Amino acid sequence: MPDLSVAIVAGLHADARRATVAQLLHDVPGSVVLHHDLATAAAGTVIRTIRDATGILDAGEAPLVNDCACCALREDLVPELRRLAATGQVRLAIVELWDSVEPKAMAEVITSGGLTVTGVITAVDPALLLPCLGNGDDLADAGLAAAATDQRTVADTFARQLEYAPALAVLDSEEAYDEDRELLGQLHPTALQIPLGGGDLAAPARGEYGDAGSAWPVPGDLPDPAWPVPGDPADPAGPAHGDLAGSAWPVPGVSAGSARPAHGVSAGSAWPVPGVSAGSARPAHGDLTDPAGPAPGDSAGSAGPVPGDPAGSAWPAHGDPAGSAPPPRSELAAAALAGFDVEAAAAAQHPACALLPVEADAYGVSTFVWHRCRPFHPERLYAALEDLTCAAARSRGRFWLADKPDALLHWDAAGGALCVEGAGPWLASLPDAAWELVPPVRRAAAALDWHPEHGDRCQHLVFTSPGLDRDGLERLLDHCLLTDTEYAAGRAAWKRLPPAFDALLEI
């Protein structure tokens, strides 16, 4: 089977997502888009369409699997991609995910099917960033659920879509303010931000998050806008549908319904630049010119072969040596073909080794990083959960409780809803022989936080929001720690403290 590059484009912001897809079709000759519309699931089917820059090439239906539209997507996606690969005519398959489908789960499905994901991009309208992060409504209430059992919220779904992707396609929205762009940069400071043109690229507004089921624009029918000039600076603001098992318990006074699986860490992955494969043959982001000039036989200034050209003149496969064909014409195309390491991306989301945001404060938006090496008193922390959850648009990290000294706990809050779950043991609680079974990225992350007495046990929570009360947050969090007297009593006494989190953690 010929090599096929697969790029995933995700996001709840449907207009930004469609604009991203339209630009990729324009910029990468021989590319097609595969899209599963889950809005028709209530009728018992999922509608699949395949299109190129000229319009729809194929359409069909995939039946529901176990009454789950996302399961139908999983079952149908890999066979369709293999069929496209077998034709030998497709240079890039762009998988445009439906609104609430999360890229992490789909990247892992595609990779496990023997195909190669070369890029993951989340499309964002910065004007809708804060409304999404503040929306604690269930996806079902917004008409965006991917299964009858889908208990995720708008806020936590959007946060995971945003934070998983190494590249963000950012719509040039007239409604966005400097505060919105700064919030985006602080939420995912390591992401490559790629500006998208507005105007003709964006389809007519479909409501706040996109009105599922409305007609797609045909990319070939759109006027050809002025694309970013290669080498232009990125946005000056600065740099899953997942498994549905395991819903979060509601915090008193906090919106219930946040659900998410525990992120696993795949063994053997190296310390990542999130999601980017080492040794990728593709040009680096921003390195968009071909010093060798056009390939032999190309017309002067040609952007590359058009779809349908004979084999051999095609866009190179993802493993081809650099320079064997013209490079991508845009930063967005480069991101789609840059290479993507699924294991490294999963590790970068795991609370034990996540690359969390750093301290920042600009345009009224702040990120507060709180790091301590003393355990929480379980009752005092539980009593403060509502205030802590509602203190920021987004907060995440890892923490430990005095009565559960061996359990690494994951903190994940957005939209006024908090999910707390166990993420396995702290490495310091494992016997030495077990360390060989731990992925290198996890051992490296633990070494950075190692304490002579507690090992890798620590509190590392990050809060990002406009109008953040840093001093108030710090006082509240410090109040939840063990006092000097409680700390001095030792671990045997800690374990006898009231187990306030047992119900929340389903222990």
Side-chain angles (χ1 to χ4, degrees), residues 22-170:
Q23 182 166 334
L24 282 172
L25 286 173
H26 177 280
D27 291 351
V28 183
S31 59
V32 301
V33 178
L34 174 61
H35 177 68
H36 289 80
D37 189 346
L38 275 57
T40 58
T45 59
V46 171
I47 302 299
R48 177 206 324 113
T49 55
I50 299 174
R51 61 173 67 231
D52 64 8
T54 65
I56 293 178
L57 302 175
D58 184 50
E61 295 183 355
L64 293 191
V65 177
N66 300 322
D67 292 324
C68 172
C70 200
C71 297
L73 189 164
R74 292 169 184 264
E75 294 292 324
D76 193 65
L77 182 58
V78 169
E80 284 299 314
L81 289 172
R82 286 177 174 165
R83 186 176 66 81
L84 290 172
T87 67
Q89 299 299 309
V90 177
R91 286 70 165 178
L92 174 68
I94 305 162
V95 176
E96 186 199 358
L97 300 180
W98 188 71
D99 296 2
S100 68
V101 179
E102 295 182 25
K104 179 179 184 293
M106 292 304 112
E108 291 169 355
V109 165
I110 292 168
T111 302
S112 67
L115 296 156
T116 302
V117 176
T118 57
V120 175
I121 300 165
T122 294
V124 182
D125 182 344
L128 297 180
L129 184 62
L130 197 54
C132 276
L133 280 178
N135 190 335
D137 291 346
D138 290 348
L139 290 175
D141 295 336
L144 296 171
T149 56
D150 194 344
Q151 299 179 46
R152 295 172 299 151
T153 69
V154 172
D156 64 36
T157 301
F158 176 69
R160 287 192 294 275
Q161 290 178 337
L162 181 73
E163 293 156 9
Y164 181 75
L168 304 177
V170 183

Side-chain angles (χ1 to χ4, degrees), residues 211-361:
D211 183 12
S214 67
W216 264 23
V218 177
D221 292 342
L222 297 175
D224 187 3
W227 303 105
V229 178
D232 276 0
D235 192 324
H241 170 48
D243 298 325
L244 300 177
S247 62
W249 280 61
V251 175
V254 181
S255 301
S258 173
R260 64 173 305 180
H263 294 298
V265 180
S266 303
S269 60
W271 186 257
V273 174
V276 180
S277 304
S280 170
R282 290 290 174 189
H285 297 307
D287 184 12
L288 304 176
T289 55
D290 185 359
D298 282 353
S299 302
S302 171
V306 296
D309 277 357
S313 63
W315 195 273
H318 47 261
D320 285 353
S324 61
R329 292 170 47 193
S330 72
E331 196 173 18
L332 186 65
L337 294 161
F340 186 79
D341 187 331
V342 171
E343 290 185 354
Q349 299 302 306
H350 191 278
C353 44
L355 301 178
L356 297 173
V358 297
E359 287 272 351
D361 189 4

